[in-house]
Amino acid sequence: MTASFPPGFLWGAATAAYQIEGAAQEDGRTRSIWDTFSHTPGKVAGGDTGDIAVDHYHRFREDVRLMAELGLGAYRFSVSWPRVQPTGRGPAVQRGLDFYRALVDELLANGITPLLTLYHWDLPQELEAAGGWPERDTAYRFADYARLVAEALGDRVEMWTTLNEPWCSAFLGYGSGVHAPGRTDPLAALRAAHHLNLAHGLGAQALRGALPARARVAVSLNPGAVRPLTQSAEDRDAARRIDALATRVFTDPMLHGRYPADLFEDTAQITDWEFVRDFDLSVIKHPLDALGINYYTPTVVSAADDNEPPRRDGHGASAHSPWPGAERVAFHQPPGELTAMEWSVDPSGLYDLLMRFTREVPRVPLLITENGAAYEDKPDADGVVHDPERIAYVHAHLASVHRAIADGADVRGYFLWSFLDNFEWAYGYEKRFGSVHVDYTTQARTPKSSAQWYADVARSGVLPPP
């Protein structure tokens, strides 16, 4: 049976600046924390960096033409903070803004709606040297940056996202250290989480002040679809702890103007949260025009066995936990199909999240701002890249989205991660999430069979039978 999506549903794909742009030292761009991290031996697989990435900075017109040929109606991209405000302070560099002006103009000329993300993890290195996200001032620097970009692109872009996955910025960047800047301090991770929340609120205020009234402001989170291994009280408490750190540390302040009381209790041995000041929560709870949800796989947890070291989650190897106050929680890999990231394929987690936020904030529209999978994609003898596993993955997740819409979720769009194979953070170029294959030697782009399949769905708005 086919499934039709609502008229006006946005069909798009997503990318991030550091993962695709390259041109790391051109036109005034300075180093971000990911430049520093990737150039530090041992931090990224294969010693890879984003110096060249997939050279989108020079090939964006070719890439936009390919988007148009594949029928994409929308494109979610991020702006490189050190490209437009190199030190994280002061005036914008017009050469950097000119790149994004040209990109947006090319998108609009091809009938593609731009969705701009202000922050996808590339903090200017100068701000990290001043303390980074654990320092309150970084949130104010972000608001200034948001205003600069809004003033430059507000006449062209109507859909704006403040942050992408602040959980990763805070807890992988400052907790486990597997992401930039590579620090391993649980207190710094919690401070970073709050200041990212504050940056979202201040940034949203700055956007409202600089953008036309028609503009829409959102945030993209990666909430956890957290499940206890068993229904024992201990396993359910482990799931509660992880839900507080994975989801409610961001959604409760942003959507409800409060922090979870149980989060404060769980982390009391680390901090008394004195860094949360009067009126912060009223700033963080800024009205949203949409909530972006990034989803890849559910999280299954249990209470750790005291006789065994706790098993870590699927976010990279580290001796340090990204879960402050929940170090004795064990993570489990469910049985069944896995992606190349060794993440389980389970679209029911996406359905559960959509229905959860439909209940929590029924008046806030939802967007799937990232969903996709990495597989071992290689061209065949004729140069064709067949990826039936990705087609099956996306089909199953779109079916969950359609089911959620039928059950009352106000889902307005779906953005496939990712449009192009690219620099996959600490995994370097080992993992391929793209619907378009990139030969990293020649930079040649080849749409995979999933790209052609997704193009058919995007053009028709109809999900065919499996």
Side-chain angles (χ1 to χ4, degrees):
M1 180 180 295
T2 60
S4 297
F5 282 76
F9 191 85
L10 280 177
W11 296 97
T15 63
Y18 188 73
Q19 293 183 271
I20 67 167
E21 284 183 2
Q25 300 179 44
E26 293 186 32
D27 292 336
R29 183 188 182 277
T30 56
R31 291 167 73 89
S32 74
I33 55 174
W34 269 97
D35 293 283
T36 301
F37 188 81
S38 65
H39 281 268
T40 303
K43 295 297 186 182
V44 174
D48 294 333
T49 74
D51 288 359
I52 299 173
V54 297
D55 199 28
H56 176 72
Y57 190 77
H58 299 111
R59 299 170 182 264
F60 73 91
R61 289 186 172 85
E62 169 192 350
D63 291 338
V64 172
R65 285 196 299 272
L66 187 53
M67 294 176 205
E69 291 170 6
L70 293 173
L72 294 185
Y75 174 53
R76 177 176 176 248
F77 65 96
S78 76
V79 171
S80 168
W81 190 344
R83 193 178 295 287
V84 303
Q85 195 190 34
T87 65
R89 302 175 188 274
V93 171
Q94 292 305 313
R95 289 171 295 173
L97 287 172
D98 284 345
F99 167 70
Y100 296 106
R101 290 186 180 105
L103 170 62
V104 170
D105 288 347
E106 195 75 14
L107 291 167
L108 294 174
N110 283 275
I112 299 170
T113 298
L115 194 157
L116 187 153
T117 299
L118 284 166
Y119 187 73
H120 200 132
W121 309 351
D122 48 0
L123 184 72
Q125 181 59 40
E126 289 85 351
L127 293 184
E128 173 59 24
W133 285 113
E135 293 300 318
R136 185 179 183 86
D137 185 63
T138 306
Y140 291 92
R141 302 285 69 74
F142 176 77
D144 289 346
Y145 156 67
R147 177 183 52 79
L148 291 174
V149 180
E151 289 173 349
L153 296 171
D155 62 334
R156 296 166 167 86
V157 178
E158 294 187 10
M159 300 181 68
W160 294 73
T161 301
T162 53
L163 309 176
N164 179 80
E165 296 186 359
W167 184 87
C168 296
S169 298
F171 295 106
L172 300 184
Y174 294 92
S176 66
V178 299
H179 277 193
R183 290 161 62 179
T184 54
D185 179 348
L187 173 57
L190 293 169
R191 289 177 61 93
H194 175 64
H195 295 139
L196 283 155
N197 280 332
L198 183 60
H200 160 72
L202 292 169
Q205 286 182 348
L207 291 176
R208 299 284 189 199
L211 293 173
R214 68 179 183 278
R216 288 168 283 173
V217 176
V219 66
S220 289
L221 306 177
N222 56 325
V226 185
R227 297 164 176 172
L229 182 66
T230 73
Q231 289 303 309
S232 70
E234 295 80 7
D235 287 1
R236 285 187 285 112
D237 187 65
R240 177 200 59 75
R241 284 176 178 266
I242 298 304
D243 183 66
L245 286 164
T247 303
R248 289 182 285 123
V249 66
F250 298 108
T251 59
D252 273 22
M254 290 182 183
L255 302 177
H256 307 298
R258 62 175 183 261
Y259 275 106
D262 59 324
L263 173 67
F264 285 179
E265 294 168 3
D266 293 342
T267 58
Q269 291 184 327
I270 301 170
T271 179
D272 61 2
W273 292 77
E274 50 77 26
F275 45 83
V276 180
R277 297 186 184 176
D278 292 343
F279 307 113
D280 280 3
L281 289 167
S282 64
V283 172
I284 294 167
K285 188 191 174 187
H286 189 92
L288 290 174
D289 298 307
L291 174 64
I293 295 173
N294 297 355
Y295 173 83
Y296 294 92
T297 188
T299 302
V300 178
V301 299
S302 70
D305 187 330
D306 289 338
N307 298 317
E308 297 181 7
R311 284 164 282 188
R312 298 301 185 197
D313 63 7
H315 292 290
S318 173
H320 302 272
S321 172
W323 305 102
E327 289 81 359
R328 295 303 301 171
V329 171
F331 292 78
H332 301 268
Q333 188 177 78
E337 182 186 351
L338 302 177
T339 70
M341 297 290 287
E342 297 187 351
W343 296 346
S344 66
V345 178
D346 187 345
S348 68
L350 178 55
Y351 173 85
D352 291 346
L353 287 172
L354 293 173
M355 299 314 298
R356 172 180 180 170
F357 292 110
T358 296
R359 292 189 297 270
E360 283 194 24
V361 281
R363 291 175 295 279
V364 178
L366 305 174
L367 292 168
I368 312 303
T369 40
E370 287 184 26
N371 177 241
Y375 290 104
E376 302 293 337
D377 305 320
K378 297 178 181 178
D380 64 16
D382 296 322
V384 179
V385 184
H386 293 288
D387 57 342
E389 301 93 346
R390 184 172 289 103
I391 293 174
Y393 178 99
V394 175
H395 188 288
H397 286 76
L398 283 173
S400 278
V401 175
H402 187 269
R403 177 187 167 205
I405 293 172
D407 289 345
D410 184 10
V411 185
R412 302 287 180 90
Y414 176 94
F415 289 79
L416 179 66
W417 185 270
S418 174
F419 176 59
L420 298 164
D421 288 338
N422 55 42
F423 176 83
E424 188 49 43
W425 306 115
Y427 294 95
Y429 296 98
E430 288 185 355
K431 306 298 184 184
R432 293 180 177 267
F433 276 87
S435 63
V436 174
H437 181 274
V438 178
D439 182 316
Y440 295 127
T441 301
T442 67
Q443 297 292 352
R445 276 79 158 135
T446 303
K448 304 173 187 178
S449 55
S450 63
Q452 306 291 353
W453 177 87
Y454 185 62
D456 291 340
V457 175
R459 289 191 185 98
S460 66
V462 174
L463 185 65

